[in-house]
């Protein structure tokens, strides 16, 4: 690509499960394309996960195109090494036209309808471009982190590996979403003293009435519901994931039980004044809200069982096992013995390299099922791109197949050079 200005029918930015799933469908359609990956293909599963990480969805939901899970435990939860092996098998089977270690520096539409792509390995043009680099680019760390004492070790969840990585002392985990709750549990199980700043993340049961909750929701059609049919519409893309775990065969994560066992729970972290951390008085409301979601999901399963006349164990309602006596709003770093902070408050998108008028005021691409307003420019692999599974192993194949059909049709129209692409249901 660096020797001359190469041209490709399709250029895919990102070699994760989304980009390679699209490559699978484009190969099947005989469409010339190239995948560029800044690091190694699917690197985040190896480099941004802690040692005890497992999937929170059962293995049967791992359904990359042409590569369904075929191991001995479809209702189990793959650990970090098993996930890597599953993905390695997908790549080996696919043999994609992939260039690793190539960073895309800019993508810009040209007047003739093509795209100019500048990368660390030179320039090329493409008739169509697919942004499959995900939406989790920049780890979020608040500015108050700059004022923490140098003696306090700070990590983002993407860099946390295990409790032994941290110095002796108490650990403050900020954020109790999916990553924060699981990392807090990892530390807690290792005997570390944990202070957990709890936000408004919801939770769900792992198993209910004899089955994994995911199995029930699949039967109920939840994972096939498009974002356009969701009560929140596009707003669901901003939702925090429910916390639950697949560790040790899968179980609930109950922050109240952790509190009974010695974990210190606070509301969301708000400020740092000198040595004093300040928290919002929101702990009780956060715990109650998470439990309402938990019971609401179970109640919807109860209704499904009743409608279908299914035989299942009896229903139940979660009752809190612990209540905070009051809202603790301050904590001294020195007096509490906190020596480490792990920031588990997510990531922000960074599409500064994409010079195209497709973004909203928050920096997120605007699209309809991955098709943007710029002809020939698409996005793939984002949460709730089309359904709940769009950013996961379970639903990315459907999205990739849809975009491959749109891309193939537009390519045919470009080759014919006689008419605009007919969309076959693809948004204009």
């Amino acid at each position: 690509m660096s020797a001359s200005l190469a041209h490709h029918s399709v250029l895919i930015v990102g070699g994760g499960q989304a980009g390679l799933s699209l490559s699978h469908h484009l190969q099947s359609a005989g469409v010339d394309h190239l995948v560029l990956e800044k690091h190694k293909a699917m690197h985040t599963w190896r480099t941004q996960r802690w040692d005890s990480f497992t999937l929170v969805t059962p293995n049967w939901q791992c359904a990359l195109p042409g590569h369904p899970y075929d191991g001995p435990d479809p209702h189990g939860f793959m650990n970090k090494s098993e996930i890597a092996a599953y993905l390695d098998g997908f790549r080996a089977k696919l043999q994609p036209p992939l260039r690793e270690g190539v960073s895309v520096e800019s993508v810009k539409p040209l007047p003739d309808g093509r795209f100019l792509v500048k990368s660390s390995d030179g320039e090329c043009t493409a008739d169509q471009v697919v942004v499959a680099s995900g939406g989790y680019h920049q780890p979020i760390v608040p500015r108050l982190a700059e004022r923490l004492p140098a003696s306090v070790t700070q990590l983002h969840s993407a860099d946390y590996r295990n409790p032994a990585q941290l110095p002796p002392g108490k650990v403050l985990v900020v954020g109790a979403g999916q990553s924060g709750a699981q990392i807090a549990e990892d530390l807690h199980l290792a005997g570390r003293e944990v202070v957990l700043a709890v936000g408004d993340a919801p939770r769900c049961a792992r198993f209910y009435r004899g089955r994994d909750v995911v199995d029930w929701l699949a039967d109920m059609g939840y994972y096939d519901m498009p974002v356009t049919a969701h009560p929140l519409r596009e707003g669901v893309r901003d939702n925090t994931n429910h916390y639950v775990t697949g560790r040790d065969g899968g179980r609930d994560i109950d922050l109240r039980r952790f509190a009974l066992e010695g974990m210190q729970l606070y509301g969301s972290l708000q400020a740092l004044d000198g040595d004093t951390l300040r928290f919002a008085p929101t702990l009780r409301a956060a715990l109650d809200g998470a439990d309402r979601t938990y019971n609401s999901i179970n109640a919807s399963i109860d209704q499904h069982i009743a409608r279908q006349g299914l035989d299942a164990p009896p229903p139940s309602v979660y009752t809190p096992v612990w209540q905070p006596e009051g809202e603790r709003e301050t904590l001294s770093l020195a007096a509490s013995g906190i020596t480490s902070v792990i920031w588990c408050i997510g990531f922000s998108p960074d599409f500064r390299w994409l010079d195209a008028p497709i973004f909203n005021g928050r920096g997120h691409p605007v699209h309809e099922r991955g098709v943007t307003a710029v002809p020939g420019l698409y996005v793939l692999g984002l949460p709730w791109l089309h359904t709940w599974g769009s950013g996961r192993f379970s639903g990315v194949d459907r999205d990739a197949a849809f975009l491959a059909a749109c891309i193939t049709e537009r390519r045919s129209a470009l080759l014919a050079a006689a008419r605009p692409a007919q969309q076959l249901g693809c948004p204009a």
Side-chain angles (χ1 to χ4, degrees), residues 149-380:
S151 58
V152 175
T153 297
Q154 298 186 58
L155 294 175
H156 189 269
S157 59
D159 300 312
Y160 172 76
R161 295 296 174 267
N162 55 64
Q165 181 184 15
L166 305 176
K170 195 173 293 185
V171 184
L172 169 63
V173 178
V174 181
Q178 208 169 84
S179 294
Q182 291 180 68
I183 288 173
E185 181 193 46
D186 192 46
L187 293 161
H188 182 67
L189 292 176
R192 299 296 296 263
E193 290 187 273
V194 177
V195 176
L196 179 62
V198 179
D200 58 359
R203 76 183 186 105
C204 67
R206 175 77 279 164
F207 302 104
Y208 183 63
R209 300 193 70 175
R211 300 177 73 199
D212 193 310
V213 164
V214 170
D215 291 353
W216 285 121
L217 293 178
D219 288 352
M220 293 160 62
Y222 179 75
Y223 301 125
D224 296 320
M225 177 174 59
V227 66
T228 52
H230 195 280
L232 296 177
R233 300 298 193 274
E234 287 81 3
V236 72
R237 293 170 178 156
D238 298 324
N239 278 5
T240 303
N241 289 325
H242 300 68
Y243 57 85
V244 68
T245 184
R247 186 168 177 168
D248 300 326
R251 56 172 173 260
D252 292 5
I253 290 183
D254 187 350
L255 302 186
R256 297 182 192 268
R257 187 164 298 283
F258 288 164
L260 282 177
E261 297 168 354
M263 188 180 294
Q264 297 178 38
L265 306 186
Y266 286 75
S268 59
L269 179 62
Q270 295 293 295
L272 173 65
D273 294 333
D275 172 69
T276 302
L277 296 165
R278 297 195 178 279
F279 300 86
T282 55
L283 176 60
R284 181 182 289 270
L287 294 175
D288 289 347
D291 291 343
R292 278 195 300 273
T293 300
Y294 181 103
N295 284 324
S296 175
I297 293 172
N298 288 352
S300 68
I301 294 171
D302 293 337
Q303 294 166 9
H304 169 74
I305 290 171
R307 284 194 303 268
Q308 300 297 318
L310 302 175
D311 184 23
S316 62
V317 175
Y318 174 81
T319 303
V321 298
W322 176 88
Q323 290 283 8
E325 295 180 1
E327 296 286 349
R328 296 179 291 183
E329 298 183 47
T330 61
L331 183 66
S332 165
L333 282 167
S336 64
I338 290 174
T339 60
S340 304
V341 177
I342 304 177
W343 302 105
C344 302
I345 50 180
F347 298 78
S348 60
D350 182 6
F351 293 107
R352 288 174 293 179
W353 52 271
L354 182 53
D355 185 9
I358 64 169
F359 297 100
N360 62 21
R362 300 176 56 209
H364 295 277
V366 176
H367 63 88
E368 187 174 341
R369 201 170 177 181
V371 181
T372 76
V374 175
L377 181 60
Y378 314 88
V379 292
L380 180 64

